């Protein structure tokens, strides 16, 4: 049949007019929907000849069979020219018709997904979040460990590291449009399968690769079916797929021959060892015979050892912040079965909580889509994240160790029955303990193979080290190849978790070793995880407290400061714990003395108060002192700013004036209020004459400041200039930080006796002499 035009029969015209009326469309609106002029639409409804392609489009838009409208048998096959080739117009029509017939099957295959630990099915299009890809595969690049360490120091989080500073990610859809043959690689749970399912759905709707027909094939299912039939033949498999949609074999072959299929082969890594060779041979054969088609194959990056001619390889990138937010908002609507507004509101709450500094350890996991889903699931039950970090990571690791494969019915090839889950965890704990202690976050392959060999020898297992490494990498994705023969843990927090496991296994013999790292920030999570895992944490917490007190024991000025801290806190009438009040005044002093560094100190200070007493609302006495300390801090800021320029100094002077006025308003003691008001009268107006204000500040400001301090010392016992040197300032900050760590451990511990908890809280932030007095009073 030539590509001559078609005419609508009288019955067809009546059916078309009825369909147009049902849609409440005019002929003009129909033409606009098709993106064509009004003329062919008018001819169609007049029963005149219209090009075949246009005729079919009009019928499909109206939801009618073009054969019925033309008065032709519906099973009419497309005729070929004498040379056995389809005309382009005929092929376009055939693609649209077959795609329409396949649409329901594709929706059934790809739009219904079963998510981990979710009972109900979820519509893929309700949860799908766009993905990006890296055009350069990490483990194919050469990079030195020093290069990794240089980037790691500026961004101590594996998930935020990029292979190169100039590395550019590409939208996944762009990669699909650019390359006719694509290999999509990725870590476990990175979203490879969902991306292929999304492509299949969008192609079936004509939104992606509109001139092609999607075929979605799970490699594991194809291999299993082929094994039972003893026939690894993709053509036969696709033919059967099409026959189930009432598409004849000869049409399937025609479409394949003319390159009209988008073939999506998912999960090459899920095929067993005995079948993978046959499958790869068949893929090579099939892609060479039907080379005109578009192919996308997905595979775990660590399992990629087969390369196919003409295929471009890309790697699924981790989620970035915007993708995390989009996914969370969709998740709480689609999965948590919330109304859109409620779901998005809960998604916003989730994001706000996730971005809090104290949830950095959880945020590290959220860059992986599978773990992000699981974190959302954990959060939805209580609108908060669990305090027990060890349990959180144990559950996350179990997803990678077994659950993710189990829920999908995938049985991977084990290198040996003796390498069970318990042994794998102990092996990873051994590797983590050795590498983390030495600050080895990135290891050459030969080094990590040596660590594996040492452990296997220790437990008397006759296994090949490289096979063990590959198994852990492919099956669980916990050790990954960052670049050519350079390995690391997939997440820094997992390295810390396994290190803590190793410490707990050794218990008391490692307490001194662990406590020796107490002042190193990188060990913070290791401490918290250790006390999470211990059945009782009394011993380790007591040892931490002893080491903390000794940290400042030999500095007389700091001991005197702590004595004042105790005296001042004891003089305040408050309902809060004494330790929390001491923490409050410690932070106030640091803010007043080093206001230019207030951001980190202020935040950490209030974290300690919160850790001690919960959501704190200070009493009036504390509020007054806080504003008075703030006045001193602002005064110091003005002093420093005048050394730079007048504009900055005036800005700080305004802040100082506001703080001073608020402090005066809050003061209850009449004598102090009167004294402060009198002192205020000595301040020249800031805006009336800036130059005069600067002159006053530089000539009389320091004397005025001393008068302010005198009044605060006399009436409130605050405002001392402690004159700490640089080393004392650093030591005081370190002292504060380790006390914060101790309190966090106290709150995170699985079990602490009431006696030990009370002893620690009673003596927190006290001088050695005061600690001894507390102990004596208890005795």
């Amino acid at each position: 049949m030539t590509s001559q035009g078609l005419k609508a029969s009288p019955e067809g015209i009546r059916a078309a007019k009825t369909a147009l009326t049902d849609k409440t469309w005019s002929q003009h609106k129909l033409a606009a929907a098709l993106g064509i002029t009004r003329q062919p639409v008018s001819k169609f409804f007049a029963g005149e000849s219209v090009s075949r392609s246009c005729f079919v489009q009009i019928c499909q838009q109206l939801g009618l069979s073009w054969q019925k409208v033309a008065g032709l048998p519906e099973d009419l096959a497309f005729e070929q020219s004498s040379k056995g080739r389809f005309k382009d117009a005929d092929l376009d029509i055939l693609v649209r018709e077959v795609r329409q017939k396949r649409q329901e099957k594709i929706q059934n295959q790809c739009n219904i997904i079963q998510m981990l630990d979710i009972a109900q099915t979820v519509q893929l299009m309700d949860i799908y979040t766009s993905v990006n890809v890296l055009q350069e595969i990490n483990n194919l690049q050469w990079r030195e460990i020093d290069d990794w360490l240089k980037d790691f120091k500026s961004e101590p989080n594996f998930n935020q590291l990029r292979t190169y500073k100039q590395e550019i990610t590409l939208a996944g859809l762009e990669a699909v449009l650019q390359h006719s043959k694509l290999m999509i690689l990725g870590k476990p749970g990175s979203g490879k399968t969902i991306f292929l399912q999304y492509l299949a759905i969008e192609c079936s709707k004509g939104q992606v690769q509109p001139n092609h027909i999607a075929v979605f094939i799970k490699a594991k299912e194809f291999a299993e079916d082929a094994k039972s039939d003893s026939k690894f033949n993709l053509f036969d498999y696709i033919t059967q797929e099409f026959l189930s949609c009432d598409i004849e074999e000869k049409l399937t072959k025609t479409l394949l021959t003319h390159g009209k299929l988008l073939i999506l082969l998912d999960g090459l890594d899920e095929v067993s060892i005995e079948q993978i060779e046959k499958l790869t041979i068949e893929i090579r054969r099939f892609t060479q015979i039907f080379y005109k088609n578009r192919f996308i194959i997905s595979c775990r990056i660590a399992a990629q050892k087969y390369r196919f001619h003409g295929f471009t390889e890309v790697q699924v990138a981790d989620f970035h912040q915007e993708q995390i937010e989009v996914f969370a908002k969709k998740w709480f609507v689609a999965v948590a079965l919330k109304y859109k507004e409620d779901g998005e509101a809960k998604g916003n709450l989730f994001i706000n909580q996730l971005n809090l500094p104290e949830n950095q350890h959880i945020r590290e996991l959220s860059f992986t889509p599978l773990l992000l889903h699981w974190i959302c699931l954990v959060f939805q039950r209580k609108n908060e994240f669990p305090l027990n970090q060890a349990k959180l990571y144990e559950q996350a690791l179990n997803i990678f160790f077994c659950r993710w494969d189990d829920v999908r019915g995938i049985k991977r090839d084990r290198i040996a029955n003796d390498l069970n889950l318990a042994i794998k965890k102990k092996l990873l704990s051994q590797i983590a303990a050795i590498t983390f202690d030495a600050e080895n976050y990135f290891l050459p392959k030969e080094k990590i193979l040596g660590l594996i060999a040492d452990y296997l020898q220790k437990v008397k297992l006759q296994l090949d080290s490289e096979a063990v490494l590959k198994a852990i990498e492919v099956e669980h994705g916990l050790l990954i190849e960052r670049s050519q023969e350079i390995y690391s843990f997939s997440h820094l927090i997992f390295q810390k978790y396994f290190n803590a496991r190793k410490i707990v296994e050794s218990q008391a013999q490692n307490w001194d070793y662990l406590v020796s790292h107490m002042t190193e920030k990188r060990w913070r999570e290791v401490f918290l995880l250790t006390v999470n895992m211990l059945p009782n944490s009394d011993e380790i917490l007591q040892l931490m407290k002893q080491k903390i007190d000794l940290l400042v024991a030999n500095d007389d000025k700091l001991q005197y400061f702590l004595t004042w801290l105790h005296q001042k806190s004891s003089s305040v009438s408050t309902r809060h714990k004494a330790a929390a009040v001491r923490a409050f005044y410690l932070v106030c002093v640091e803010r007043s003395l080093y206001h230019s560094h207030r951001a980190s100190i202020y935040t950490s200070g209030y974290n300690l108060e919160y850790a001690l007493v919960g959501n704190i609302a200070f009493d009036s006495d504390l509020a007054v002192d806080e504003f008075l300390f703030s006045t001193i801090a602002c005064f110091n800021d003005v002093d420093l700013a005048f050394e730079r320029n007048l504009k900055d100094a005036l800005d700080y002077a305004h802040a100082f004036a506001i703080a001073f006025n608020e402090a005066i308003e809050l003061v209850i003691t009449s004598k102090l209020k009167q004294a402060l008001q009198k002192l205020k009268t000595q301040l020249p107006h800031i805006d009336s004459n800036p130059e005069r204000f600067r002159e006053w500040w530089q000539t009389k400001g320091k004397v005025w400041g001393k008068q302010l301090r005198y009044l605060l010392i006399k009436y409130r016992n605050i405002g001392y200039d402690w004159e700490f040197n640089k080393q004392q300032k650093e030591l005081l900050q370190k002292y504060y930080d380790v006390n914060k760590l101790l309190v966090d451990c106290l709150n995170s511990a699985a079990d602490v006796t009431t006696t030990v908890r009370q002893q620690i809280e009673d003596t927190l932030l006290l001088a050695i002499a005061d600690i001894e007095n507390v102990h004596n009073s208890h005795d």
Side-chain angles (χ1 to χ4, degrees), residues 96-229:
R96 282 194 291 271
E97 287 198 332
V98 171
R99 195 168 61 219
Q100 190 173 34
K101 287 186 175 182
R102 292 268 304 150
Q103 197 169 65
E104 185 178 350
K105 180 71 176 284
I106 290 293
Q107 285 288 322
N108 182 66
Q109 275 184 309
C110 300
N111 196 33
I112 299 174
I113 59 174
Q114 193 76 47
M115 304 185 77
L116 183 70
D117 290 342
I118 297 293
Q120 75 273 13
T121 58
V122 178
Q123 298 291 308
L124 180 140
M125 299 306 289
D126 291 340
I127 199 74
Y128 178 75
T129 303
S130 61
V131 301
N132 294 333
V133 297
L134 309 176
Q135 297 184 80
E136 293 190 48
I137 309 302
N138 286 348
N139 64 6
L140 297 181
Q141 299 178 40
W142 284 104
R143 199 175 184 203
E144 300 294 333
I145 288 179
D146 287 345
D147 298 327
W148 281 110
L149 288 175
K150 181 172 62 179
D151 290 349
F152 186 74
K153 287 177 182 177
S154 62
E155 184 53 76
N157 184 332
F158 291 162
N159 298 88
Q160 294 300 302
L161 288 174
R162 294 298 179 226
T163 305
Y164 290 110
K165 292 294 183 183
Q166 67 269 27
E167 180 179 74
I168 298 174
T169 59
L170 180 70
L173 282 176
E174 284 298 316
V176 170
L177 295 175
Q178 289 181 17
H179 306 288
S180 62
K181 294 179 176 62
L182 199 62
M183 174 75 86
I184 305 271
L185 303 170
K187 297 180 291 187
S190 59
K192 303 178 295 295
T193 296
I194 285 184
F195 180 51
L196 263 61
Q197 291 178 216
Y198 169 79
L199 291 175
I201 293 169
E202 290 297 280
C203 180
S204 74
K205 295 190 296 188
Q207 301 299 316
V208 172
Q209 299 295 350
N211 297 320
H212 289 76
I213 302 157
V215 183
F216 181 81
I217 303 171
K218 285 191 172 292
K220 172 178 173 288
E221 294 178 359
F222 167 75
E224 289 171 349
D225 292 348
K227 182 181 179 182
S228 61
D229 297 338

Side-chain angles (χ1 to χ4, degrees), residues 431-491:
I431 294 171
I434 294 171
T435 57
F436 190 80
D437 181 53
E439 294 189 62
N440 290 334
Y441 304 108
F442 306 97
L443 294 165
K445 184 177 181 180
E446 60 184 28
K447 173 68 174 177
I448 205 162
L449 288 176
L451 292 175
I452 294 172
D454 290 345
Y455 180 79
L456 293 175
Q457 185 177 15
K458 177 183 174 183
V459 297
K460 296 180 174 55
L461 282 177
Q462 300 296 318
L463 297 173
D464 179 67
S465 299
E466 189 150 3
V468 171
L469 173 60
K470 186 53 95 174
I472 293 173
E473 187 183 6
V474 173
E475 294 177 17
H476 316 307
L478 296 176
L479 293 173
I480 62 174
E481 194 173 9
R482 293 284 174 184
S483 55
Q484 283 272 8
E485 300 197 342
I486 301 295
Y487 281 80
S488 79
F489 278 84
S490 60
H491 298 75

Side-chain angles (χ1 to χ4, degrees), residues 107-362:
Q107 285 288 322
N108 182 66
Q109 275 184 309
C110 300
N111 196 33
I112 299 174
I113 59 174
Q114 193 76 47
M115 304 185 77
L116 183 70
D117 290 342
I118 297 293
Q120 75 273 13
T121 58
V122 178
Q123 298 291 308
L124 180 140
M125 299 306 289
D126 291 340
I127 199 74
Y128 178 75
T129 303
S130 61
V131 301
N132 294 333
V133 297
L134 309 176
Q135 297 184 80
E136 293 190 48
I137 309 302
N138 286 348
N139 64 6
L140 297 181
Q141 299 178 40
W142 284 104
R143 199 175 184 203
E144 300 294 333
I145 288 179
D146 287 345
D147 298 327
W148 281 110
L149 288 175
K150 181 172 62 179
D151 290 349
F152 186 74
K153 287 177 182 177
S154 62
E155 184 53 76
N157 184 332
F158 291 162
N159 298 88
Q160 294 300 302
L161 288 174
R162 294 298 179 226
T163 305
Y164 290 110
K165 292 294 183 183
Q166 67 269 27
E167 180 179 74
I168 298 174
T169 59
L170 180 70
L173 282 176
E174 284 298 316
V176 170
L177 295 175
Q178 289 181 17
H179 306 288
S180 62
K181 294 179 176 62
L182 199 62
M183 174 75 86
I184 305 271
L185 303 170
K187 297 180 291 187
S190 59
K192 303 178 295 295
T193 296
I194 285 184
F195 180 51
L196 263 61
Q197 291 178 216
Y198 169 79
L199 291 175
I201 293 169
E202 290 297 280
C203 180
S204 74
K205 295 190 296 188
Q207 301 299 316
V208 172
Q209 299 295 350
N211 297 320
H212 289 76
I213 302 157
V215 183
F216 181 81
I217 303 171
K218 285 191 172 292
K220 172 178 173 288
E221 294 178 359
F222 167 75
E224 289 171 349
D225 292 348
K227 182 181 179 182
S228 61
D229 297 338
S230 300
K231 193 176 183 182
F232 274 81
N233 191 300
L234 278 168
F235 174 77
D236 288 349
Y237 193 85
I238 293 172
T239 298
Q240 289 300 315
E241 270 285 299
F242 278 40
L243 281 172
S244 69
C245 300
D246 197 27
I247 301 159
E248 296 179 8
E249 180 178 339
K250 61 182 179 180
L251 291 182
T252 302
K253 187 169 186 179
T254 296
L255 291 165
L256 277 166
T257 302
H258 287 82
K260 292 299 180 180
L261 266 57
L262 170 62
I263 299 169
L264 305 157
L265 187 63
D266 179 52
L268 196 62
D269 57 282
E270 297 171 6
V271 179
S272 63
I273 288 178
E274 62 267 19
Q275 295 173 303
I276 191 65
E277 292 289 347
K278 292 180 181 178
L279 177 57
T280 53
I281 291 171
E282 172 59 13
I283 291 172
R284 289 192 182 108
R285 184 191 69 82
F286 186 82
T287 55
Q288 288 170 6
I289 294 174
F290 299 108
Y291 62 92
K292 291 183 180 180
N293 296 276
R294 302 184 76 92
F295 297 90
I296 302 177
I297 303 173
S298 76
C299 181
R300 286 189 179 180
I301 188 167
Q304 174 225 13
K305 63 177 181 178
Y306 301 101
R307 308 191 76 179
F308 301 104
H309 176 72
F311 277 74
T312 298
E313 296 171 352
V314 295
Q315 179 179 341
V316 178
D318 289 329
F319 269 177
H320 54 61
Q321 185 63 28
E322 184 179 343
Q323 289 168 317
I324 291 172
E325 293 181 11
V326 169
F327 180 92
K329 289 176 183 178
K330 287 186 173 183
W331 193 96
F332 284 105
V333 173
V335 181
L337 300 177
K338 298 280 185 183
Y339 292 110
K340 184 176 180 182
E341 293 78 10
D342 293 342
E344 289 183 351
K346 193 159 188 177
N348 286 329
L349 176 63
F350 170 85
I351 293 299
N352 291 335
Q353 293 287 319
L354 188 67
N355 288 334
L356 292 175
E358 59 264 33
N359 289 326
Q360 164 63 33
H361 60 286
I362 298 175

